[in-house]
Amino acid sequence: MTTVSFDRRPEDYRHWRLRIEPPLAWLEMDVDEQGGLVPGYELKLNSYDLGVDIELYDAVQRLRFEHPEVRAVILTSAKDKVFCAGANIRMLAGSPHEWKVNFCKFTNETRNGIEDATENSGQIYLAAVNGSCAGGGYEIALACEKILLVDDNSSTVALPEVPLLGVLPGTGGLTRVTDKRRVRKDRADVFATRPDGVKGRTAVDWRLVDELVPRQEFRAVVEQRARELAARSNRPENAQGIVLEPLDRTEDDDRIAYPNTTAELDRAAGVVTITVRGPQADGWLLALTRELDDLILRLRTNEPELGTWVFRTEGDPDAVLAAEREVLTGSDWLSNEVLHYYKRTLKRLDVTSRSLIALIEPGSCFAGVLLELALACDRQYMLDGPPIDDEDSDERASIVLSDANFGAFPMGNGLSRLESRFYGEHDHLDWLKRERDRRLSASEAVELGLVTEAPDDIDWEDEIRIVLEGRAALSPDALTGMEANHRFVGPETIETKIFGRLTAWQNWIFTRPNASGPEGALRRYGTGQKASFDRKRV
Amino acid sequence: MPTRIDYDAKIPNNVELSDNRRLQRALEGWQPKFMHWWAEMGPALETQGVYLRTAVSVGRDGWAHFDHVVPQDYRWGIFLAERDPDRRIAFGEHRGEPAWQQVPGEYRADLQRLIVIQGDTEPASVEQQKLLGLTAPSLYDLRNLFQVNVEEGRHLWAMVYLLHAYFGKEGREEAEALLHRNSGSPDTPRILGAFNEETADWLAFYMFTYFTDRDGKYQLGTLKESAFDPLSRTCEFMLKEEAHHMFVGTTGVDRVVTRSAELIREHDTMDIAAHGGIPLDIIQRYLNFHYTVSLDLFGSETSTNAANYYTAGLKGRWMETRRKDDHQLTEDAALLEKPQDDGTWTAEEMQKILLLNLDLRGEYIADCSSGVKRWNKILADAGIDFRFRLPHPGFNRKVGINSGHHITPDGTIVDEATWERSRKHWLPTDEDLAFVRSLMHPVYERGKIASWVAPPRQGINGKPFDYEYVYL
């Protein structure tokens, strides 16, 4: 299996061209057919694989941090007659199951990031669909605020996954069509079962696109619409961007280390222990967020068998709270970006199909923003006693609630992690609010319902060992389903639908013989032979 | 007994249109739009009558009835070849089952797409040839141009009939869209590249009817094999008409070469431009261009679409029923020649079913070379050493595995700079085009002909060359 790196720099993009023309940016897709991440397929017709999407993700990130002067982003294709053919089918057909689902997850996160930039950074995306646009290609367009389609009487938008491949359009595709663009469900049904898609007037009438533009006027109208969107933006004037320098990362077989984060990989146990350090320098939260983001992606992609992630922290809780206050109360654009980036990284964790366990020990700093990490975990264990290796010490574990835990970092369901944890319990949440900004001991944390268990120093090691071993013995599939279910209580949003359905529907469909069996649609695609379906409806 | 075509109906047909009120209403709605398109995009030259061949029935004898007709009064209609009630599917996974008389729901989108693409090419060539009548080298040629044009118009009708009769509302919308895309239009171009090139002069017209219409013949030939019987029968009849277009091309180039050979002999020089003839190397460059653009119409050498169409029974191979294999092709292999970045060619073995476009292109190339042989015989008979050649299939390609490479007419892979340096020897230059255009003066006088082309050996339907083929 290829080890995937998520490090990219615009100078080295193989598949995208990023051009900054303030207040606009042009993000042009120009996929190099020979540039697949893994051998065995050609990326024809601007189809993409994980490598193409990693560059897109990088570009979206850099636009937010490095280019405050950009208020609208035009996402289009540099190729003639084709916008994007979507995910590369041969890549999908040749990929192992977890790769397919991980890939879908990452692409959906990137699409969500585009929507987040539009909504929270005043960097509004416009899709300039200048040719045929299918599957994941249309999903990219769907992530944009507006979709302009070239009116050449032949370009279409399509979600052909159901009729051609026997799978679902990412699930972001189906969901955005009905929930975001509010396409009537009967039309959505017709649309998603037509391999050839919909063009022209009908695409506008059905709300699949916003506007048709004649070919000759396309560029001019696109630019004009982008300028109109830019005029709506609240992006600051004359702000200076910051450069996202390459990450300082060292790696060997059982360790990935960054200045603020270290991951120890225990392959025998199937466990990764992730230790996050509190602030040591300025700009800590952004640096930490970038490291965590990178680490989550790497572990998710490259280490599918390490099924349990244990989160620890080290450092001074007060320093965490001070660093957090700087960003939370800062009203500048950069603070805003850092907050939203941390939010997205926590969300990435929320939708990660790994068992997440927080260990809160003496010397840890689970305060405010870092307490969110613990709250994102499926379980929290807090040591009620001295450090294990120093029983004479007076040091005890504590956690601190702060403003950061009451709405600054909403989950995909629109609720804070505390609201999710205590769904519908308003009195309890009010009580927690009153306990803000002070260190809570293990027994208080138990009383407040903020941790799962608080073993003492005699039981701790055994207790944690049994929890981790027990976890590793369970079916990873069942765990994936259970965790995804527990993590998102309450209301459905577009995001919870997308990821819930990715976890359930797509996971199921991808493994069914009708999709990925030897005679399934995904495997037969491109062979000239037709899929043979098991006709029983399940 | 061959089915007569009902010329008394508003739309001549042999599909019993009068019994199908829904279809009749649909086609009658489309007809004025078609007439509007013809007036707008059809031949620019107005005539009082053209000696045209009109089909009166689809049987052996009925399709060649001649008379003077004013082109816009031409009765376009819907003619399908006779139905064979026992016809069975010849290939793919439905092999042996009775041919379909209706579109199977499962294949609706694919069939519609195939018909739309075929349909899109038909009016395109009329548009490309719009201005040619203004510079016709003789009344005979002018008549042939109109014949080609009205028949391309009827081929559009044939595809539109299928869209209207079998594809419901969507089919009607697609039928209308066929009139809204226009060749070379910057806003709504025709779907395939070759049909957006212009046919600026008569040498280009002869080349087009020889090479590009011949692609049409092969595409129709594969659709004629279709399990969808109405498509099969439609294409079968279109093929008869298409044959004449290629006759115009074959004899057209033939006559240009004959005339050039005469002038070379007469003036004892290859440089006959000054004497009002087209030099042979310019003809070769035209050939190179039209041939390679037509090769692009076969699509990518490897095609999963073509394979899917085959398996589904939608589109077969040329002369499918005469092939001696399993007609499934999933087990057979074939070789694909591929250009490499290091300048060598490699052969890759692939499943035959993925190489169907290559198979069809092979048939086409063999057919094209017969014309070249014929033109070379004219040169040989005149004692001239020059020989025409079909360039290597990798030369000047925009579609398929060769498209990213620079390949010379003899098949050598070179770098871009080398290719660009020699381009003027291989493809028509602006000067070539300007020169040929300078020869294009209309000759509308009976029995007269332009300087750069020889008269035909025979007239049409036994009439002499100096017959008044067109009333102007």
Side-chain angles (χ1 to χ4, degrees):
Chain A
M1 196 84 239
T2 317
T3 299
V4 178
S5 169
F6 292 78
D7 300 338
R8 294 295 186 279
R9 301 186 317 165
E11 310 83 276
D12 302 331
Y13 287 169
R14 259 188 107 158
H15 308 291
W16 293 89
R17 293 191 220 148
L18 177 57
R19 205 169 63 246
I20 310 289
E21 293 171 0
L24 308 184
W26 294 80
L27 191 47
E28 294 180 326
M29 193 173 194
D30 192 7
V31 176
D32 174 0
E33 285 191 8
Q34 303 306 322
L37 200 56
V38 177
Y41 50 84
E42 289 180 344
L43 297 172
K44 293 188 174 170
L45 296 171
N46 258 1
S47 62
Y48 60 84
D49 67 351
L50 183 60
V52 177
D53 222 73
I54 290 173
E55 287 182 8
L56 173 60
Y57 173 56
D58 186 76
V60 173
Q61 279 296 83
R62 285 183 196 276
L63 278 165
R64 288 179 85 161
F65 281 97
E66 299 186 349
H67 298 286
E69 74 277 20
V70 170
R71 300 167 153 245
V73 183
I74 297 155
L75 212 159
T76 189
S77 152
K79 294 209 184 336
D80 198 26
K81 285 191 178 172
V82 59
F83 175 74
C84 172
N88 187 277
I89 307 310
R90 286 175 193 270
M91 178 278 294
L92 281 181
S95 298
H97 175 69
E98 73 283 355
W99 181 280
K100 287 200 274 281
V101 181
N102 260 328
F103 166 77
C104 290
K105 193 170 275 180
F106 180 77
T107 57
N108 272 297
E109 288 171 325
T110 306
R111 313 294 170 266
N112 289 348
I114 288 175
E115 287 171 336
D116 192 67
T118 298
E119 196 180 325
N120 295 314
S121 289
Q123 213 162 54
I124 306 168
Y125 278 70
L126 168 97
V129 180
N130 54 337
S132 63
C133 170
Y138 182 49
E139 290 194 56
I140 293 179
L142 283 169
C144 298
E145 177 79 359
K146 284 223 173 307
I147 307 176
L148 267 52
L149 175 65
V150 64
D151 186 16
D152 60 0
N153 230 319
S154 52
S155 290
T156 55
V157 293
L159 290 178
E161 283 88 342
V162 171
L164 288 187
L165 305 172
V167 299
L168 295 186
T171 57
L174 292 180
T175 307
R176 287 198 174 86
V177 163
T178 52
D179 290 37
K180 182 180 180 182
R181 298 200 62 94
R182 292 178 295 111
V183 174
R184 232 169 56 196
K185 68 172 183 150
D186 55 337
R187 287 173 170 170
D189 185 295
V190 171
F191 174 59
T193 51
R194 276 175 59 154
D196 50 344
V198 168
K199 72 175 177 223
R201 202 64 245 162
T202 310
V204 177
D205 290 345
W206 289 14
R207 289 212 271 254
L208 295 164
V209 304
D210 293 294
E211 189 179 345
L212 289 178
V213 184
R215 223 160 87 126
Q216 289 193 89
E217 296 162 28
F218 195 66
R219 217 194 125 94
V221 172
V222 162
E223 190 165 327
Q224 188 193 335
R225 293 288 175 272
R227 285 188 189 280
E228 288 161 15
L229 293 176
R232 262 171 43 188
S233 167
N234 56 2
R235 208 76 177 155
E237 298 285 352
N238 303 323
Q240 192 65 39
I242 58 158
V243 177
L244 298 177
E245 300 289 356
L247 287 170
D248 175 10
R249 179 184 58 235
T250 54
E251 272 177 286
D252 52 49
D253 200 37
D254 50 10
R255 194 162 181 277
I256 305 174
Y258 309 81
N260 301 290
T261 319
T262 306
E264 309 279 349
L265 284 54
D266 180 348
R267 293 179 199 282
V271 173
V272 184
T273 303
I274 297 166
T275 303
V276 171
R277 280 177 289 280
Q280 297 155 73
D282 286 348
W284 164 78
L285 189 53
L286 175 57
L288 170 69
T289 306
R290 292 187 64 206
E291 293 170 15
L292 271 177
D293 190 22
D294 188 60
L295 180 64
I296 295 168
L297 289 171
R298 287 178 157 258
L299 291 173
R300 232 163 59 173
T301 310
N302 298 327
E303 302 291 349
E305 293 192 10
L306 302 183
T308 305
W309 292 357
V310 172
F311 278 93
R312 300 178 62 255
T313 54
E314 283 172 3
D316 175 6
D318 292 332
V320 172
L321 293 173
E324 159 192 318
R325 253 192 313 278
E326 234 172 75
V327 178
L328 266 185
T329 56
S331 53
D332 60 315
W333 72 274
L334 184 57
S335 301
N336 180 55
E337 287 306 340
V338 174
L339 282 182
H340 283 292
Y341 186 20
Y342 189 63
K343 172 195 74 182
R344 293 196 301 283
T345 305
L346 287 169
K347 281 185 178 184
R348 218 195 269 287
L349 199 55
D350 292 332
V351 299
T352 292
S353 66
R354 299 292 191 278
S355 297
L356 307 176
I357 313 272
L359 298 186
I360 305 162
E361 295 156 281
S364 68
C365 54
F366 282 108
V369 284
L370 288 189
L371 182 60
E372 283 294 303
L373 270 183
L375 294 170
C377 289
D378 299 299
R379 296 189 196 177
Q380 301 76 21
Y381 290 90
M382 189 164 177
L383 174 55
D384 186 6
I388 294 301
D389 47 7
D390 183 7
E391 59 184 71
D392 297 329
S393 165
D394 291 336
E395 202 179 0
R396 295 292 180 271
S398 68
I399 56 175
V400 183
L401 290 166
S402 79
D403 286 340
N405 307 115
F406 294 90
F409 305 107
M411 298 174 64
N413 57 8
L415 307 177
S416 70
R417 285 176 187 74
L418 282 176
E419 284 172 315
S420 294
R421 190 175 180 91
F422 301 104
Y423 183 58
E425 297 181 53
H426 303 292
D427 294 348
H428 194 89
L429 286 164
D430 288 342
W431 179 23
L432 292 174
K433 265 183 204 160
R434 291 195 297 273
E435 304 295 339
R436 262 177 303 186
D437 300 323
R438 71 180 188 86
R439 297 192 183 199
L440 302 168
S441 67
S443 56
E444 286 173 305
V446 170
E447 194 189 353
L448 289 167
L450 294 171
V451 297
T452 314
E453 296 275 2
D456 62 20
D457 49 324
I458 300 166
D459 291 337
W460 176 260
E461 281 181 300
D462 250 4
E463 189 73 29
I464 300 305
R465 179 182 61 79
I466 288 166
V467 166
L468 296 181
E469 285 178 10
R471 199 72 177 182
L474 300 171
S475 156
D477 301 334
L479 287 178
T480 296
M482 180 190 78
E483 290 155 358
N485 206 68
H486 288 161
R487 286 178 196 168
F488 299 96
V489 299
E492 282 273 46
T493 62
I494 289 182
E495 275 185 55
T496 59
K497 283 186 182 175
I498 289 173
F499 291 110
R501 290 164 189 190
L502 249 177
T503 311
W505 295 355
Q506 194 75 310
N507 240 316
W508 177 66
I509 294 167
F510 270 161
T511 54
R512 292 278 297 159
N514 285 346
S516 56
E519 298 180 344
L522 205 48
R523 293 282 288 277
R524 280 266 168 104
Y525 184 83
T527 65
Q529 293 176 66
K530 208 171 63 177
S532 146
F533 291 136
D534 177 346
R535 293 281 163 199
K536 289 191 287 295
R537 296 282 291 239
V538 183
Chain B
M1 267 299 285
T3 319
R4 301 293 302 179
I5 290 168
D6 179 4
Y7 270 96
D8 298 330
K10 204 165 176 184
I11 298 165
N13 69 89
N14 69 340
V15 293
E16 286 164 8
L17 195 55
S18 55
D19 296 345
N20 187 340
R21 289 206 38 234
R22 186 193 66 80
L23 179 59
Q24 197 179 344
R25 218 173 55 202
L27 285 167
E28 284 175 5
W30 189 80
Q31 191 180 39
K33 292 170 189 152
F34 170 81
M35 293 309 294
H36 179 76
W37 166 82
W38 179 269
E40 194 110 307
M41 304 304 293
L45 182 73
E46 279 191 34
T47 71
Q48 306 307 310
V50 181
Y51 188 66
L52 292 177
R53 178 184 72 181
T54 307
V56 289
S57 79
V58 298
R60 190 179 299 258
D61 310 314
W63 61 287
H65 176 80
F66 286 86
D67 207 351
H68 277 90
V69 187
V70 181
Q72 59 266 32
D73 297 339
Y74 185 84
R75 311 276 320 268
W76 285 280
I78 299 151
F79 320 136
L80 272 62
E82 295 284 283
R83 181 175 162 196
D84 167 8
D86 298 323
R87 181 167 175 258
R88 297 203 165 250
I89 300 167
F91 59 97
E93 64 178 19
H94 299 288
R95 183 168 186 233
E97 296 171 20
W100 313 319
Q101 300 307 320
Q102 273 299 334
V103 176
E106 187 181 1
Y107 303 128
R108 180 191 164 109
D110 282 342
L111 270 170
Q112 185 179 304
R113 181 84 190 141
L114 282 171
I115 292 169
V116 165
I117 289 183
Q118 182 63 43
D120 195 62
T121 67
E122 309 291 356
S125 49
V126 176
E127 293 162 356
Q128 288 172 299
Q129 296 155 13
K130 178 178 172 66
L131 299 175
L132 283 179
L134 302 173
T135 57
S138 72
L139 288 183
Y140 166 90
D141 285 287
L142 186 58
R143 177 261 161 217
N144 283 348
L145 173 70
F146 276 104
Q147 183 73 52
V148 168
N149 285 170
V150 294
E151 280 171 1
E152 298 295 1
R154 210 204 59 72
H155 291 180
L156 171 63
W157 270 91
M159 292 297 122
V160 165
Y161 158 73
L162 293 173
L163 288 171
H164 277 187
Y166 296 96
F167 295 90
K169 177 164 160 280
E170 247 180 70
R172 293 199 296 279
E173 284 169 7
E174 289 293 352
E176 204 158 330
L178 289 173
L179 299 175
H180 292 156
R181 281 185 294 269
N182 293 137
S183 178
S185 154
D187 268 334
T188 55
R190 291 291 170 190
I191 298 169
L192 302 175
F195 292 94
N196 291 304
E197 304 278 355
E198 53 170 17
T199 308
D201 59 62
W202 277 78
L203 181 56
F205 174 65
Y206 296 146
M207 290 289 176
F208 183 96
T209 43
Y210 188 80
F211 287 111
T212 307
D213 277 331
R214 191 168 307 268
D215 161 75
K217 165 182 158 183
Y218 283 87
Q219 299 301 340
L220 290 175
T222 58
L223 293 175
K224 176 178 105 75
E225 304 293 335
S226 180
F228 178 44
D229 204 41
L231 175 61
S232 167
R233 291 163 57 210
T234 304
C235 291
E236 193 177 334
F237 188 70
M238 287 164 75
L239 273 169
K240 288 187 193 198
E241 294 175 329
E242 203 73 24
H244 174 260
H245 306 181
M246 283 174 292
F247 162 83
V248 170
T250 315
T251 56
V253 178
D254 198 302
R255 289 161 48 217
V256 177
V257 174
T258 302
R259 180 63 183 150
S260 295
E262 279 171 18
L263 289 168
I264 289 169
R265 299 270 301 185
E266 199 173 310
H267 300 280
D268 195 23
T269 172
M270 295 296 276
D271 188 12
I272 52 173
H275 307 290
I278 304 179
L280 300 179
D281 53 349
I282 293 184
I283 298 176
Q284 175 70 53
R285 288 197 281 275
Y286 265 67
L287 181 160
N288 286 353
F289 174 76
H290 286 274
Y291 174 66
T292 55
V293 166
S294 303
L295 288 182
D296 277 349
L297 292 170
F298 288 85
S300 208
E301 284 78 1
T302 62
S303 166
T304 55
N305 277 342
N308 291 340
Y309 295 153
Y310 187 82
T311 298
L314 309 182
K315 189 176 173 186
R317 284 174 296 174
W318 180 252
M319 299 284 176
E320 183 69 44
T321 49
R322 293 199 202 161
R323 308 265 188 142
K324 302 252 180 297
D325 53 31
D326 68 356
H327 301 276
Q328 309 286 333
L329 306 182
T330 50
E331 307 300 324
D332 298 348
L335 286 179
L336 172 65
E337 297 275 336
K338 284 175 126 174
Q340 302 294 309
D341 289 335
D342 66 1
T344 60
W345 290 89
T346 55
E348 190 184 331
E349 190 176 273
M350 294 190 73
Q351 265 187 311
K352 219 171 187 173
I353 194 168
L354 296 174
L355 297 175
L356 286 169
N357 286 345
L358 191 65
D359 179 276
L360 191 64
R361 198 185 79 184
E363 299 281 346
Y364 170 79
I365 291 175
D367 192 356
C368 285
S369 60
S370 68
V372 175
K373 243 184 244 164
R374 177 187 168 120
W375 306 328
N376 281 335
K377 185 165 183 303
I378 296 169
L379 297 178
D381 290 350
I384 298 169
D385 289 340
F386 190 100
R387 292 292 177 269
F388 294 110
R389 290 175 54 199
L390 288 180
H392 187 276
F395 170 69
N396 190 39
R397 297 294 307 282
K398 299 219 162 34
V399 173
I401 51 170
N402 299 299
S403 58
H405 297 267
H406 300 284
I407 298 166
T408 68
D410 65 5
T412 311
I413 304 166
V414 296
D415 61 28
E416 188 175 354
T418 312
W419 201 92
E420 287 298 336
R421 264 200 309 279
S422 303
R423 175 194 182 97
K424 60 178 183 293
H425 302 302
W426 299 333
L427 291 170
T429 61
D430 289 345
E431 293 76 44
D432 291 344
L433 297 172
F435 167 71
V436 175
R437 199 172 289 201
S438 75
L439 296 176
M440 297 294 130
H441 298 294
V443 178
Y444 293 150
E445 224 175 307
R446 276 175 68 170
K448 292 281 167 58
I449 190 152
S451 68
W452 53 271
V453 60
R457 259 169 258 157
Q458 282 157 356
I460 294 295
N461 194 33
K463 303 285 183 209
F465 172 65
D466 64 359
Y467 181 70
E468 191 166 10
Y469 288 106
V470 183
Y471 302 148
L472 284 167

